[in-house]
Amino acid sequence: MSVAQAESIEDLKARNKELIQEVLKVYPEKTAKRRAKHLGTFEDGKPDCGVKSNIKSIPGVMTIRGCAYAGSKGVVWGPIKDMIHISHGPVGCGQYSWASRRNYYIGTTGIDTFGTMQFTSDFQEKDIVFGGDKKLAQIMDEIQDLFPLNKGITVQSECPIGLIGDDIEAVSKAKSKEYDGKTIVPVRCEGFRGVSQSLGHHIANDAVRDWVFDKQEGKPARFESTPYDVAIIGDYNIGGDAWSSRILLEEMGLRVVAQWSGDGTIAELEATPKAKLNVLHCYRSMNYISRHMEEKYGIPWCEYNFFGPSKIEESLRKIASHFDDKIKEGAERVIAKYRPLMDAVIAKYRPRLEGKKVMLFVGGLRPRHVIGAYEDLGMEVVGTGYEFGHNDDYQRTTHYVKDGTLIYDDVTGFEFEKFVEKIQPDLVGSGIKEKYVFQKMGVPFRQMHSWDYSGPYHGYDGFAIFARDMDMAINSPVWKMAKAPWAA
Amino acid sequence: MPQNADNVLDHFNLFRQPEYKEMFENKKKNFENPVADAELERVREWTKTEEYKEKNFAREALTVNPAKACQPLGAVFAAVGFESTLPFVHGSQGCVAYYRSHFSRHFKEPTSCVSSSMTEDAAVFGGLNNMIDGLANAYNMYKPKMISVSTTCMAEVIGDDLNAFIKTSKEKGSVPADFDVPFAHTPAFVGSHITGYDNVIKGVLEHFWDGKAGTAPALERKPNNSINFLGGFDGYTVGNLREVKRIFESMGVEYTLIGDNSDVWDTPTDGEFRMYDGGTKLEDVANALHAKATISMQEFCTEKTLPYIATKGQEVVALNHPVGVAATDKFLMEISRISGKPISEELTKERGRLVDAIADSSAHIHGKKFAIYGDPDLCYGLAAFLLELGAEPVHILSTNGGKAWAQKVQALLDSSPFGKGCHVYPNRDLWHMRSLLFTEPVDYLIGNTYGKYLDRDTGTPLIRIGFPIFDRHHKHRYPVWGYQGSMNVLVWILDAIFEDIDRNTNVVAKSDYSFDIIR
């Protein structure tokens, strides 16, 4: 049983305070002062979660964060399947991010799609000393030669590029001209820029604006527009998430003209300014381009949440409210159609999960978005935090969390371990670096970035898998075996 | 509606349902601006040709699907092999997130490592303050006995001086003056992960042997009879190092494993998270100076470390990832020669069992053609074993193996009649291998997880031996060294062959006369 369960809200808040004070003790004074601002308890009625965010990580503390390259290549650009994304710099960054994010796509890899491949300029010392522009130009030629069906190229800058003063923009422009206006996008997502993945998302969004949209000015859409055209923004199709979302939007009568960026293509990116509404799942990584399209093309955008039936239902109605009665009726039809499935899933799993406590620490939208799905199963999220959230994420989080929820921004390995040790949740949802730490402690765990190699978790079809997976994690017989019977 | 609460469909089956298939077709047709089917087919076939292979091998600048990682990864691999040691990587923080993820995906274990989290300001002013704060924080939070510092390419490009930075940090009180902080510069744009291993091991030995960066007197060597052992960068480190310990103990030889990460990447689930576990004791690292000799299991992982050790007056022996009878014989005979102890009865019996197993099974392996890729020593060791089995290692490819490696492998091929017609490919990647598998097909492919794409594209069954292995579990727990380890490799190869034969003979009333019950 969780410690939290036995306590009143006031006790809980006092416990959180004590817990935070306790973990801060380990730090040198200066660090303790800085970390204190990132740890807190949500108080009902407050406009945010009472923590600072989007600030530089402190050296040596074991932050869980990644870098701008991860935000651009790994998140935003990497899934665009018919383009070739060059990891420009030394070999490692591309190697570690090679096919590890599970952005599902359909295509003939190596021929017309390139998602699960690793293209790198594999920088050597001479490239650092003499610059890598010539090599980059030659790489583009070799790509054209060997992968003639590619629809475009992006240059994903690694740390050295910005430090040695390479002009990847000039190379990209020259090669684009040489190849008849081919889309070639230089992205300045060097890993040392900014404080986390987050700036990489922003830089990648800006690169779409500057190097894809601006080229399309005045060109007609490749298809006949309809009043029901929408684009899915900020769904990376992890384990097929965008697919189990798209099917619902289509069933309610909308036409999805683009997916950003899971299973996406350059043609879809180019078509998006012709959409009537952008529906935005991951606000953190793609609000920038949504705002741009609103300002420049007058396309409204609407945030939605496809985790768990309560939020899906709410979101379908919210999206439908931007359209006519046909779509509104369509939304009701979809909700009604899937209700028996949802009832059956909840009837099966809720009794096994009721009252279980969850602690989360994830990236873009999930520290808040998945809370409703857990609640649909009768579970309670008692602690949450963002790897790279900003204040607007913490503001949005207030609509999801309960009074007294422990909040930890850019949590350190040490803090997370201590929090879990003390709070003893029934489940922790975080990433691969955290998974085995908590499993060793005997705490059930699900990776909430990669869906632990399962998924999809979005949409109605995905919720059935989500519920099954949470049950499988928490109620696995393995956790009863962690202690040897003869151990004290 | 395809989904069902009673029988929840996973992604494998969900997306094959008609609703989804139709959706995919419409998405492609209406919005993806797809390449015409005929054109797709034409290019697909073209990539299988000799003409494409020539173009592919003419590549000078582009690397596609390399079989190597960067130096700093190897640095972390080496650092976690010492008692209660925290790897500290000076540079951008995203790199550390990547190394930790990469190792955790392979070992299914936590990997603890910190970063100095350098950002734009550090790029301009240098990362000294990041080092000062970072060491203080890491020391206080994670209570290590040693912090092993290495670098990312960012710190290297701006030219941060680790020796000076660590000295200044100690003066500022980040860690006590006598606290061990060995360091190694490990630029990602030089060499590969095996170079990073080499540099960190050498850095740690220099630290302990040569006076701790000027803060203590250099140690004086007093030779004893012990043997030092270096495993090199090795995905099977958990199984291998335990096997090596057993071998030394079986022969009653005094030994020190330098960089023993076999426990930290194999901790129990018993309610406790062990950030540190096992590892070479720091005093043992210091005392390793006095050893009679050092054996490196992987020559190309210790190109700097071994010559350094040799300057101290030790004999050094470099092997190439020995697998099989002759290579293991050599390994054991070297231990025996150096220590003066005979090879134990136990090990001799194990040798006989391996030979017995080979005799039982060789009919199924003899004459089979293989392609191998991976780290240079691994490729060498596996090629030697295949030759011993009467198989032909037709393509031997390494991204981080260079000319010297290629010559060595060529000499190996020249030494066996089964090596005729086999080729070695230094500094090539898996897109080169793809061409080779089309133009000069083989029966089986040996490599890491990424080889599954080659298996899919070319139909060459993959036998997973290498690093990383992400999509099969627990392989790292098995040794591939020693006679017992060689037995594991033999069994994995045989399993793949038998499964392949079954798959090719299981069609009812067509081929299942050969679907034999006894093989």
Side-chain angles (χ1 to χ4, degrees):
Chain A
M1 189 182 67
S2 300
V3 175
Q5 221 164 351
E7 296 171 333
S8 74
I9 294 288
E10 288 320 308
D11 288 346
L12 203 66
K13 288 180 182 173
R15 181 212 60 188
N16 285 355
K17 207 169 170 185
E18 204 177 301
L19 196 49
I20 290 167
Q21 287 314 315
E22 199 186 315
V23 300
L24 289 174
K25 272 190 212 146
V26 77
Y27 294 110
E29 200 186 329
K30 187 169 89 175
T31 307
K33 230 169 142 182
R34 286 174 66 185
R35 281 306 304 159
K37 295 175 186 159
H38 297 267
L39 306 174
T41 298
F42 172 63
E43 302 272 352
D44 239 356
K46 292 276 170 67
D48 60 27
C49 296
V51 295
K52 295 273 186 216
S53 58
N54 196 32
I55 296 173
K56 267 200 274 188
S57 302
I58 302 170
V61 299
M62 211 174 317
T63 172
I64 291 166
R65 283 173 168 177
C67 63
Y69 165 90
S72 177
K73 189 270 184 176
V75 175
V76 174
W77 277 108
I80 299 294
K81 62 182 178 179
D82 56 355
M83 296 177 82
I84 285 176
H85 310 289
I86 304 167
S87 292
H88 190 39
V91 69
C93 316
Q95 203 71 3
Y96 311 128
S97 57
W98 181 4
S100 55
R101 208 158 175 266
R102 306 188 63 238
N103 312 108
Y104 280 9
Y105 65 92
I106 292 170
T108 307
T109 302
I111 310 300
D112 69 349
T113 46
F114 311 93
T116 49
M117 294 176 70
Q118 131 77 325
F119 292 84
T120 174
S121 46
D122 187 12
F123 260 36
Q124 301 300 303
E125 197 148 28
K126 63 177 191 304
D127 302 312
I128 300 288
V129 176
F130 300 111
D133 286 343
K134 270 192 188 155
K135 187 176 199 178
L136 180 61
Q138 193 180 344
I139 283 172
M140 290 177 184
D141 292 341
E142 291 176 1
I143 284 174
Q144 285 303 96
D145 221 19
L146 289 164
F147 304 95
L149 301 185
N150 83 79
K151 298 279 189 60
I153 295 170
T154 73
V155 183
Q156 305 289 328
S157 301
E158 300 171 8
C159 287
I161 304 309
L163 299 172
I164 61 175
D166 273 11
D167 192 350
I168 58 170
E169 289 80 8
V171 176
S172 301
K173 274 184 196 156
K175 282 291 159 189
S176 172
K177 207 169 160 194
E178 187 182 330
Y179 293 113
D180 303 322
K182 182 183 190 71
T183 301
I184 300 183
V185 183
V187 191
R188 286 285 179 180
C189 54
E190 288 89 344
F192 63 82
R193 294 191 196 277
V195 304
S196 67
Q197 293 92 313
S198 184
L199 187 63
H201 306 141
H202 197 155
I203 291 168
N205 277 223
D206 288 353
V208 177
R209 178 193 67 199
D210 297 341
W211 299 83
V212 178
F213 282 175
D214 288 0
K215 266 180 62 157
Q216 291 303 306
E217 299 282 289
K219 288 188 191 164
R222 269 195 205 88
F223 49 78
E224 195 102 353
S225 280
T226 77
Y228 305 118
D229 291 354
V230 299
I232 294 177
I233 311 283
D235 189 324
Y236 302 102
N237 206 33
I238 291 164
D241 280 339
W243 294 334
S244 55
S245 303
R246 182 186 186 108
I247 203 162
L248 300 180
L249 298 175
E250 291 188 347
E251 276 186 71
M252 71 193 268
L254 297 170
R255 195 172 78 147
V256 179
V257 301
Q259 282 177 209
W260 291 54
S261 55
D263 192 37
T265 55
I266 181 71
E268 290 167 70
L269 295 190
E270 289 168 356
T272 307
K274 309 284 195 286
K276 298 297 184 294
L277 178 73
N278 282 326
V279 297
L280 177 59
H281 208 244
C282 182
Y283 169 85
R284 179 72 276 129
S285 59
M286 285 198 176
N287 77 85
Y288 318 100
I289 200 70
S290 306
R291 290 176 198 279
H292 172 72
M293 284 191 266
E294 182 177 43
E295 281 161 29
K296 180 131 188 204
Y297 309 106
I299 306 170
W301 52 282
C302 152
E303 287 177 66
Y304 70 111
N305 178 349
F306 269 8
F307 288 105
S310 301
K311 289 294 165 189
I312 298 174
E313 201 165 296
E314 198 181 302
S315 295
L316 289 174
R317 291 193 175 116
K318 187 175 168 192
I319 292 168
S321 73
H322 290 261
F323 296 93
D324 59 14
D325 285 350
K326 186 188 138 194
I327 300 299
K328 287 179 187 136
E329 282 156 21
E332 295 308 322
R333 198 175 55 242
V334 172
I335 291 165
K337 176 183 164 187
Y338 286 94
R339 187 157 288 151
L341 171 68
M342 291 300 98
D343 289 347
V345 168
I346 289 169
K348 182 172 175 185
Y349 293 107
R350 186 164 177 142
R352 304 166 61 82
L353 297 169
E354 188 85 53
K356 301 289 185 192
K357 313 282 179 195
V358 186
M359 287 177 76
L360 299 169
F361 185 75
V362 215
L365 73 159
R366 292 161 182 171
R368 61 175 180 275
H369 261 48
V370 297
I371 291 175
Y374 283 114
E375 288 175 351
D376 285 335
L377 293 168
M379 300 166 76
E380 188 191 351
V381 174
V382 297
T384 192
Y386 292 82
E387 218 176 294
F388 47 80
H390 298 205
N391 198 43
D392 51 3
D393 290 301
Y394 284 101
Q395 286 166 353
R396 285 167 165 76
T397 307
T398 61
H399 304 301
Y400 288 89
V401 289
K402 285 186 177 154
D403 199 22
T405 303
L406 182 67
I407 307 288
Y408 29 84
D409 177 70
D410 183 22
V411 79
T412 67
F414 176 83
E415 289 162 0
F416 204 10
E417 188 194 332
K418 292 294 159 208
F419 288 156
V420 170
E421 205 176 281
K422 282 287 155 63
I423 294 175
Q424 293 177 34
D426 301 290
L427 179 76
V428 175
S430 192
I432 181 69
K433 305 191 288 302
E434 295 71 61
K435 179 181 173 79
Y436 302 106
V437 170
F438 296 117
Q439 290 190 175
K440 302 286 175 190
M441 290 163 64
V443 181
F445 187 97
R446 286 298 296 185
Q447 289 184 67
M448 294 301 283
H449 299 262
S450 67
W451 304 149
D452 235 314
Y453 323 121
S454 176
Y457 282 176
H458 291 179
Y460 289 119
D461 288 345
F463 180 69
I465 301 173
F466 174 86
R468 193 269 324 262
D469 286 356
M470 298 310 141
D471 173 47
M472 192 156 68
I474 290 176
N475 294 312
S476 164
V478 70
W479 307 118
K480 292 198 179 75
M481 298 186 279
K483 277 270 171 248
W486 55 88
Chain B
M1 191 187 324
Q3 194 54 289
N4 185 323
D6 292 329
N7 175 26
V8 175
L9 294 184
D10 278 300
H11 50 87
F12 336 110
N13 292 316
L14 179 66
F15 298 125
R16 294 187 201 180
Q17 305 305 314
E19 294 91 331
Y20 279 102
K21 277 162 89 175
E22 190 190 337
M23 186 182 89
F24 297 150
E25 274 164 35
N26 286 333
K27 175 178 185 290
K28 182 178 171 185
K29 187 174 68 198
N30 298 327
F31 305 108
E32 293 188 355
N33 188 26
V35 173
D37 288 348
E39 177 66 354
L40 175 71
E41 226 21 68
R42 185 191 68 77
V43 174
R44 196 219 296 256
E45 288 307 313
W46 173 61
T47 65
K48 300 176 182 175
T49 62
E50 191 66 37
E51 180 201 340
Y52 187 86
K53 181 187 131 187
E54 274 170 35
K55 263 181 186 291
N56 192 9
F57 273 77
R59 256 192 290 144
E60 289 174 341
L62 173 66
T63 299
V64 185
N65 298 352
K68 68 169 181 183
C70 67
Q71 266 216 59
L73 184 83
V76 174
F77 179 96
V80 299
F82 297 92
E83 177 193 13
S84 297
T85 295
L86 184 65
F88 181 108
V89 182
H90 184 53
S92 302
Q93 70 191 17
C95 312
V96 168
Y98 277 144
Y99 316 143
R100 295 179 66 206
S101 303
H102 208 64
F103 283 128
S104 288
R105 287 174 179 140
H106 175 81
F107 291 111
K108 317 294 180 201
E109 290 285 324
T111 302
S112 298
C113 174
V114 298
S115 163
S116 66
S117 295
M118 286 166 67
T119 56
E120 284 106 328
D121 53 346
V124 178
F125 301 110
L128 176 60
N129 288 331
N130 298 68
M131 178 73 79
I132 293 169
D133 291 349
L135 285 178
N137 288 326
Y139 176 78
N140 282 293
M141 294 172 74
Y142 298 114
K143 319 269 186 273
K145 280 196 179 159
M146 176 163 95
I147 295 177
S148 170
V149 178
S150 54
T151 51
T152 75
C153 54
M154 181 210 183
E156 290 298 326
V157 171
I158 65 173
D160 279 2
D161 179 349
L162 292 182
N163 191 16
F165 280 17
I166 292 166
K167 198 162 167 258
T168 308
S169 300
K170 285 189 167 182
E171 284 162 12
K172 299 252 181 195
S174 298
V175 296
D178 60 352
F179 184 77
D180 291 310
V181 188
F183 63 90
H185 287 275
T186 51
F189 46 81
V190 175
S192 71
H193 55 285
I194 62 177
T195 323
Y197 170 90
D198 195 14
N199 281 328
V200 165
I201 295 289
K202 178 166 172 271
V204 170
L205 295 181
E206 279 175 338
H207 172 81
F208 284 100
W209 296 358
D210 293 344
K212 305 191 170 186
T215 63
L219 299 182
E220 194 191 326
R221 180 163 179 260
K222 295 173 192 139
N224 59 28
N225 269 330
S226 180
I227 297 177
N228 297 328
F229 178 91
L230 289 165
F233 190 104
D234 173 25
Y236 299 88
T237 191
V238 170
N240 273 342
L241 292 186
R242 288 184 186 158
E243 180 65 8
V244 166
K245 285 181 209 176
R246 195 184 65 85
I247 288 171
F248 276 115
E249 276 154 25
S250 167
M251 291 174 66
V253 174
E254 275 179 64
Y255 68 97
T256 305
L257 299 191
I258 297 175
D260 177 4
N261 46 25
S262 63
D263 283 341
V264 75
W265 273 323
D266 192 19
T267 60
T269 285
D270 61 358
E272 183 195 346
F273 160 54
R274 293 162 180 80
M275 186 164 184
Y276 312 109
D277 200 19
T280 312
K281 295 218 177 327
L282 303 188
E283 61 185 88
D284 292 347
V285 181
N287 288 331
L289 172 66
H290 311 305
K292 192 171 184 190
T294 295
I295 296 176
S296 163
M297 212 61 159
Q298 300 195 70
E299 181 184 10
F300 294 97
C301 292
T302 49
E303 286 181 306
K304 288 181 193 152
T305 301
L306 279 194
Y308 165 72
I309 294 173
T311 65
K312 300 293 174 190
Q314 285 188 32
E315 181 185 352
V316 294
V317 175
L319 303 174
N320 297 100
H321 197 290
V323 187
V325 179
T328 307
D329 289 350
K330 186 180 172 197
F331 172 46
L332 300 189
M333 287 190 293
E334 288 290 54
I335 297 175
S336 173
R337 177 183 63 78
I338 295 163
S339 66
K341 303 253 169 109
I343 293 166
S344 66
E345 189 56 33
E346 181 192 17
L347 292 169
T348 308
K349 221 164 177 187
E350 284 170 21
R351 182 187 190 279
R353 291 184 190 125
L354 177 62
V355 175
D356 180 68
I358 293 171
D360 294 346
S361 311
S362 82
H364 294 279
I365 303 182
H366 192 103
K368 293 280 188 299
K369 291 179 160 58
F370 288 79
I372 310 171
Y373 70 86
D375 284 347
D377 293 292
L378 175 74
C379 283
Y380 186 99
L382 290 173
F385 188 34
L386 289 176
L387 293 172
E388 201 168 62
L389 297 170
E392 296 171 28
V394 173
H395 310 303
I396 304 165
L397 178 147
S398 182
T399 310
N400 51 353
K403 271 186 199 154
W405 167 77
Q407 278 168 9
K408 198 155 186 152
V409 176
Q410 190 57 53
L412 172 72
L413 294 174
D414 294 343
S415 72
S416 164
F418 299 100
K420 216 179 148 203
C422 300
H423 289 99
V424 55
Y425 300 93
N427 302 123
R428 297 295 186 178
D429 57 41
L430 301 190
W431 199 252
H432 294 115
M433 181 63 99
R434 187 178 185 273
S435 279
L436 292 172
L437 294 178
F438 279 126
T439 56
E440 295 147 80
V442 295
D443 300 305
Y444 302 100
L445 171 67
I446 297 181
N448 61 15
T449 279
Y450 301 114
K452 76 190 295 177
Y453 298 131
L454 294 169
D455 180 334
R456 175 197 60 194
D457 287 1
T458 70
T460 319
L462 171 66
I463 300 165
R464 285 170 177 75
I465 304 177
F467 175 90
I469 306 291
F470 289 156
D471 64 337
R472 294 293 183 272
H473 291 192
H474 308 303
K475 299 292 178 194
H476 66 278
R477 298 178 193 276
Y478 294 85
V480 299
W481 291 340
Y483 300 119
Q484 308 240 98
S486 306
M487 185 79 84
N488 289 331
V489 174
L490 177 71
V491 172
W492 294 340
I493 293 172
L494 284 167
D495 281 348
I497 291 175
F498 291 133
E499 275 159 27
D500 189 42
I501 297 172
D502 282 348
R503 226 179 4 253
N504 287 327
T505 56
N506 65 1
V507 182
V508 176
K510 204 167 174 195
S511 63
D512 65 343
Y513 43 81
S514 301
F515 194 63
D516 282 315
I517 201 78
I518 307 165
R519 296 201 199 277

